[in-house]
mmCIF file of all heavy atoms in Angstrom:
data_model
loop_
_atom_site.group_PDB
_atom_site.id
_atom_site.type_symbol
_atom_site.label_atom_id
_atom_site.label_comp_id
_atom_site.label_asym_id
_atom_site.label_seq_id
_atom_site.Cartn_x
_atom_site.Cartn_y
_atom_site.Cartn_z
ATOM 1 N N SER L 213 -1.775 7.797 26.418
ATOM 2 C CA SER L 213 -1.692 9.261 26.345
ATOM 3 C C SER L 213 -2.997 9.879 25.854
ATOM 4 O O SER L 213 -3.075 11.090 25.698
ATOM 5 C CB SER L 213 -0.540 9.660 25.419
ATOM 6 O OG SER L 213 -0.595 8.909 24.218
ATOM 7 N N TYR L 274 2.573 25.559 23.537
ATOM 8 C CA TYR L 274 1.612 24.996 22.592
ATOM 9 C C TYR L 274 1.360 23.514 22.827
ATOM 10 O O TYR L 274 0.315 22.995 22.498
ATOM 11 C CB TYR L 274 2.095 25.201 21.149
ATOM 12 C CG TYR L 274 2.252 26.645 20.743
ATOM 13 C CD1 TYR L 274 3.306 27.041 19.936
ATOM 14 C CD2 TYR L 274 1.346 27.606 21.169
ATOM 15 C CE1 TYR L 274 3.459 28.362 19.545
ATOM 16 C CE2 TYR L 274 1.489 28.933 20.796
ATOM 17 C CZ TYR L 274 2.543 29.309 19.986
ATOM 18 O OH TYR L 274 2.689 30.617 19.606
ATOM 19 N N SER L 275 2.367 22.814 23.328
ATOM 20 C CA SER L 275 2.202 21.398 23.609
ATOM 21 C C SER L 275 3.399 20.961 24.454
ATOM 22 O O SER L 275 4.260 21.791 24.809
ATOM 23 C CB SER L 275 2.128 20.608 22.295
ATOM 24 O OG SER L 275 1.296 19.464 22.448
ATOM 25 N N GLY L 276 3.460 19.671 24.754
ATOM 26 C CA GLY L 276 4.519 19.192 25.643
ATOM 27 C C GLY L 276 5.916 19.367 25.070
ATOM 28 O O GLY L 276 6.852 19.738 25.800
ATOM 29 N N SER L 277 6.074 19.123 23.776
ATOM 30 C CA SER L 277 7.411 19.230 23.183
ATOM 31 C C SER L 277 7.938 20.669 23.221
ATOM 32 O O SER L 277 9.064 20.895 23.679
ATOM 33 C CB SER L 277 7.423 18.668 21.766
ATOM 34 O OG SER L 277 6.983 17.335 21.778
ATOM 35 N N PRO L 278 7.170 21.662 22.747
ATOM 36 C CA PRO L 278 7.656 23.037 22.891
ATOM 37 C C PRO L 278 7.849 23.457 24.353
ATOM 38 O O PRO L 278 8.755 24.250 24.645
ATOM 39 C CB PRO L 278 6.595 23.896 22.203
ATOM 40 C CG PRO L 278 5.551 22.995 21.691
ATOM 41 C CD PRO L 278 5.966 21.584 21.905
ATOM 42 N N ASN L 280 9.019 21.612 26.689
ATOM 43 C CA ASN L 280 10.341 21.118 27.059
ATOM 44 C C ASN L 280 11.452 21.903 26.366
ATOM 45 O O ASN L 280 12.501 22.174 26.969
ATOM 46 C CB ASN L 280 10.451 19.620 26.759
ATOM 47 C CG ASN L 280 9.696 18.793 27.791
ATOM 48 O OD1 ASN L 280 9.274 19.308 28.828
ATOM 49 N ND2 ASN L 280 9.518 17.509 27.511
ATOM 50 N N GLY L 303 11.749 6.899 27.862
ATOM 51 C CA GLY L 303 11.825 8.366 27.920
ATOM 52 C C GLY L 303 11.070 9.014 26.769
ATOM 53 O O GLY L 303 10.428 8.341 25.970
ATOM 54 N N HIS L 304 11.149 10.361 26.698
ATOM 55 C CA HIS L 304 10.505 11.070 25.586
ATOM 56 C C HIS L 304 11.576 11.608 24.642
ATOM 57 O O HIS L 304 12.687 11.906 25.067
ATOM 58 C CB HIS L 304 9.649 12.229 26.113
ATOM 59 C CG HIS L 304 8.775 12.844 25.051
ATOM 60 N ND1 HIS L 304 9.086 14.021 24.408
ATOM 61 C CD2 HIS L 304 7.621 12.401 24.496
ATOM 62 C CE1 HIS L 304 8.134 14.286 23.515
ATOM 63 N NE2 HIS L 304 7.235 13.327 23.557
ATOM 64 N N THR L 306 12.059 14.434 23.511
ATOM 65 C CA THR L 306 12.594 15.737 23.927
ATOM 66 C C THR L 306 13.497 15.667 25.150
ATOM 67 O O THR L 306 13.942 16.700 25.643
ATOM 68 C CB THR L 306 11.451 16.726 24.225
ATOM 69 O OG1 THR L 306 10.592 16.130 25.222
ATOM 70 C CG2 THR L 306 10.644 17.041 22.975
ATOM 71 N N HIS L 307 13.772 14.475 25.641
ATOM 72 C CA HIS L 307 14.694 14.338 26.778
ATOM 73 C C HIS L 307 16.112 14.053 26.283
ATOM 74 O O HIS L 307 16.907 13.465 27.000
ATOM 75 C CB HIS L 307 14.222 13.239 27.738
ATOM 76 C CG HIS L 307 12.872 13.516 28.343
ATOM 77 N ND1 HIS L 307 12.277 12.672 29.266
ATOM 78 C CD2 HIS L 307 12.001 14.535 28.182
ATOM 79 C CE1 HIS L 307 11.105 13.162 29.623
ATOM 80 N NE2 HIS L 307 10.905 14.290 28.986
ATOM 81 N N GLY L 352 10.892 11.186 34.406
ATOM 82 C CA GLY L 352 9.565 10.999 33.804
ATOM 83 C C GLY L 352 9.726 10.516 32.374
ATOM 84 O O GLY L 352 10.842 10.477 31.856
ATOM 85 N N GLY L 353 8.620 10.113 31.763
ATOM 86 C CA GLY L 353 8.707 9.604 30.394
ATOM 87 C C GLY L 353 7.360 9.188 29.853
ATOM 88 O O GLY L 353 6.312 9.592 30.377
ATOM 89 N N THR L 354 7.420 8.381 28.797
ATOM 90 C CA THR L 354 6.201 8.035 28.061
ATOM 91 C C THR L 354 5.795 6.571 28.181
ATOM 92 O O THR L 354 4.725 6.196 27.726
ATOM 93 C CB THR L 354 6.366 8.305 26.556
ATOM 94 O OG1 THR L 354 7.392 7.459 26.069
ATOM 95 C CG2 THR L 354 6.727 9.717 26.282
ATOM 96 N N ASP L 379 9.058 15.728 34.153
ATOM 97 C CA ASP L 379 8.114 15.767 33.034
ATOM 98 C C ASP L 379 6.964 14.826 33.384
ATOM 99 O O ASP L 379 7.062 13.615 33.249
ATOM 100 C CB ASP L 379 8.814 15.339 31.745
ATOM 101 C CG ASP L 379 7.907 15.475 30.524
ATOM 102 O OD1 ASP L 379 6.683 15.599 30.704
ATOM 103 O OD2 ASP L 379 8.438 15.455 29.396
ATOM 104 N N ILE L 380 5.862 15.423 33.831
ATOM 105 C CA ILE L 380 4.720 14.629 34.327
ATOM 106 C C ILE L 380 3.592 14.548 33.290
ATOM 107 O O ILE L 380 2.429 14.337 33.649
ATOM 108 C CB ILE L 380 4.187 15.194 35.666
ATOM 109 C CG1 ILE L 380 3.710 16.638 35.522
ATOM 110 C CG2 ILE L 380 5.261 15.090 36.751
ATOM 111 C CD1 ILE L 380 2.891 17.148 36.726
ATOM 112 N N ALA L 381 3.970 14.701 32.011
ATOM 113 C CA ALA L 381 2.956 14.708 30.937
ATOM 114 C C ALA L 381 1.952 13.563 31.089
ATOM 115 O O ALA L 381 0.747 13.768 30.975
ATOM 116 C CB ALA L 381 3.637 14.635 29.573
ATOM 117 N N HIS L 382 2.474 12.360 31.341
ATOM 118 C CA HIS L 382 1.581 11.207 31.417
ATOM 119 C C HIS L 382 0.778 11.146 32.710
ATOM 120 O O HIS L 382 -0.344 10.662 32.713
ATOM 121 C CB HIS L 382 2.388 9.906 31.276
ATOM 122 C CG HIS L 382 2.343 9.369 29.885
ATOM 123 N ND1 HIS L 382 1.470 8.387 29.500
ATOM 124 C CD2 HIS L 382 3.031 9.722 28.783
ATOM 125 C CE1 HIS L 382 1.637 8.144 28.209
ATOM 126 N NE2 HIS L 382 2.580 8.933 27.745
ATOM 127 N N SER L 403 7.104 20.042 34.049
ATOM 128 C CA SER L 403 6.536 20.215 32.719
ATOM 129 C C SER L 403 5.401 19.217 32.562
ATOM 130 O O SER L 403 5.542 18.054 32.923
ATOM 131 C CB SER L 403 7.624 19.929 31.675
ATOM 132 O OG SER L 403 7.078 19.929 30.370
ATOM 133 N N THR L 405 1.962 18.057 29.833
ATOM 134 C CA THR L 405 0.926 18.295 28.836
ATOM 135 C C THR L 405 -0.387 18.396 29.604
ATOM 136 O O THR L 405 -0.476 18.016 30.773
ATOM 137 C CB THR L 405 0.814 17.131 27.835
ATOM 138 O OG1 THR L 405 0.562 15.932 28.558
ATOM 139 C CG2 THR L 405 2.086 16.974 27.018
ATOM 140 N N HIS L 407 -3.326 17.221 28.029
ATOM 141 C CA HIS L 407 -4.315 16.395 27.319
ATOM 142 C C HIS L 407 -4.232 14.904 27.608
ATOM 143 O O HIS L 407 -4.906 14.126 26.970
ATOM 144 C CB HIS L 407 -4.195 16.629 25.817
ATOM 145 C CG HIS L 407 -2.791 16.570 25.278
ATOM 146 N ND1 HIS L 407 -1.953 17.666 25.286
ATOM 147 C CD2 HIS L 407 -2.076 15.574 24.741
ATOM 148 C CE1 HIS L 407 -0.791 17.334 24.749
ATOM 149 N NE2 HIS L 407 -0.826 16.060 24.414
ATOM 150 N N LYS L 408 -3.379 14.470 28.523
ATOM 151 C CA LYS L 408 -3.270 13.039 28.774
ATOM 152 C C LYS L 408 -4.154 12.696 29.983
ATOM 153 O O LYS L 408 -5.351 12.913 29.916
ATOM 154 C CB LYS L 408 -1.806 12.651 28.897
ATOM 155 C CG LYS L 408 -1.048 12.953 27.575
ATOM 156 C CD LYS L 408 0.414 12.607 27.579
ATOM 157 C CE LYS L 408 1.059 13.045 26.266
ATOM 158 N NZ LYS L 408 2.511 12.821 26.255
ATOM 159 N N ARG L 414 -5.371 19.815 24.024
ATOM 160 C CA ARG L 414 -3.960 19.621 23.692
ATOM 161 C C ARG L 414 -3.203 20.900 24.024
ATOM 162 O O ARG L 414 -3.441 21.940 23.404
ATOM 163 C CB ARG L 414 -3.791 19.285 22.211
ATOM 164 C CG ARG L 414 -4.667 18.147 21.743
ATOM 165 C CD ARG L 414 -4.202 17.564 20.439
ATOM 166 N NE ARG L 414 -3.148 16.601 20.678
ATOM 167 C CZ ARG L 414 -3.354 15.345 21.082
ATOM 168 N NH1 ARG L 414 -4.577 14.895 21.262
ATOM 169 N NH2 ARG L 414 -2.348 14.539 21.276
ATOM 170 N N GLY L 415 -2.311 20.835 25.008
ATOM 171 C CA GLY L 415 -1.559 22.006 25.431
ATOM 172 C C GLY L 415 -0.566 21.583 26.481
ATOM 173 O O GLY L 415 -0.319 20.380 26.670
ATOM 174 N N ARG L 539 2.013 -0.980 24.221
ATOM 175 C CA ARG L 539 1.781 -0.113 25.375
ATOM 176 C C ARG L 539 0.284 0.081 25.541
ATOM 177 O O ARG L 539 -0.410 0.381 24.577
ATOM 178 C CB ARG L 539 2.487 1.223 25.089
ATOM 179 C CG ARG L 539 2.638 2.150 26.250
ATOM 180 C CD ARG L 539 3.372 3.422 25.812
ATOM 181 N NE ARG L 539 2.547 4.202 24.889
ATOM 182 C CZ ARG L 539 2.507 5.534 24.841
ATOM 183 N NH1 ARG L 539 3.277 6.245 25.656
ATOM 184 N NH2 ARG L 539 1.734 6.161 23.993
HETATM 185 C C1 PLP N 146 3.468 13.337 25.491
HETATM 186 C C2 PLP N 146 4.753 13.734 26.117
HETATM 187 C C3 PLP N 146 5.439 14.895 25.734
HETATM 188 C C4 PLP N 146 5.111 15.691 24.513
HETATM 189 O O1 PLP N 146 3.887 16.132 24.335
HETATM 190 P P1 PLP N 146 3.345 16.596 22.911
HETATM 191 O O2 PLP N 146 2.176 17.396 23.327
HETATM 192 O O3 PLP N 146 3.030 15.354 22.148
HETATM 193 O O4 PLP N 146 4.399 17.423 22.233
HETATM 194 C C5 PLP N 146 6.556 15.259 26.447
HETATM 195 N N1 PLP N 146 7.008 14.507 27.463
HETATM 196 C C6 PLP N 146 6.402 13.365 27.829
HETATM 197 C C7 PLP N 146 6.949 12.583 28.955
HETATM 198 C C8 PLP N 146 5.267 12.941 27.165
HETATM 199 O O5 PLP N 146 4.689 11.790 27.530
#
Side-chain angles (χ1 to χ4, degrees):
S213 47
Y274 299 142
S275 211
S277 303
N280 285 349
H304 190 259
T306 56
H307 299 182
T354 63
D379 185 344
I380 60 167
H382 262 263
S403 173
T405 57
H407 48 275
K408 298 180 184 176
R414 308 197 83 80
R539 193 179 67 144

